[in-house]
Amino acid sequence: MQNQKIIGKTISHYKILEKIGEGGMGVVYRAGDTKLKREVALKFLPRELTKVGEAKQRFIQEAQAAAALDHPNICTVYEIDEMEGQTFISMACVKGQSLKEKIAEGPLDIENVLDIASQVASGLKEAHKKGIIHRDIKPANIMITEDGQAKIMDFGLAKLEWGVDLTKTAAVMGTVAYMSPEQAKGEEADQRTDIWSWGAMMYEMLTGALAFK
């Protein structure tokens, strides 16, 4: 999908307004919901991955994982759909800045660190209670809204106790600086891997430096 071809285009009942992010498993756009008259974020599976069975299944599982969670510290997913050969997830458009951007401005004060860390912990507790392990907790995947609310984003690597584990044996998936030892070794990971990543992220908030370089 080329940016210049999609901006201003209406897909399903969403008018694409601007590109706001991109990663290995998706491109995210700000869009207007023409039916409900609200702004949303649309995450598209890259066209070259649409025909890759495992990639599409993981993308669908990301939507299922987030949609199963109704919590103020987890980004809300509205629906997953497919149009013109493009699979996309519609989710709440969170306005603010990522925790990564916030840390880039310098170490956070202790009160702010405790506030953000406790909010993320609350969201993780809900996910773990529902049998969902995020497996990619890091500052780039935490959004801080304009009124200071933390939102866990991007369940693209999530493991669902009630779903299919799409991670191959000995596969290493995640972000190295925040991985638990078992995750880095490609071993079985449970909710403790998210707690490890949460701790590494808390260290970075306090110091402005990575816990593990």
Side-chain angles (χ1 to χ4, degrees), residues 50-67:
T50 302
K51 295 180 180 179
V52 179
E54 184 179 322
K56 188 171 182 179
Q57 192 176 358
R58 184 177 293 283
F59 194 75
I60 292 170
Q61 189 158 293
E62 173 185 355
Q64 292 172 337

Side-chain angles (χ1 to χ4, degrees), residues 56-90:
K56 188 171 182 179
Q57 192 176 358
R58 184 177 293 283
F59 194 75
I60 292 170
Q61 189 158 293
E62 173 185 355
Q64 292 172 337
L69 301 169
D70 181 14
H71 192 277
N73 299 120
I74 296 172
C75 182
T76 303
V77 164
Y78 301 131
E79 67 170 332
I80 185 166
D81 202 353
E82 190 166 331
M83 184 70 62
E84 299 177 13
Q86 290 286 294
T87 305
F88 64 89
I89 300 170
S90 171

Side-chain angles (χ1 to χ4, degrees), residues 4-18:
Q4 65 269 29
K5 290 185 178 181
I6 193 172
I7 303 299
K9 185 177 180 181
T10 298
I11 294 178
S12 183
H13 54 282
Y14 301 105
K15 184 173 182 179
I16 309 299
L17 302 174
E18 65 172 338

Side-chain angles (χ1 to χ4, degrees), residues 8-9 11 35 41 57 66 79 82 101 134 156 168 172 196:
K9 185 177 180 181
I11 294 178
K35 286 185 178 180
Q57 192 176 358
E79 67 170 332
E82 190 166 331
E101 293 170 327
H134 190 284
K168 296 184 176 72
V172 178
W196 174 283

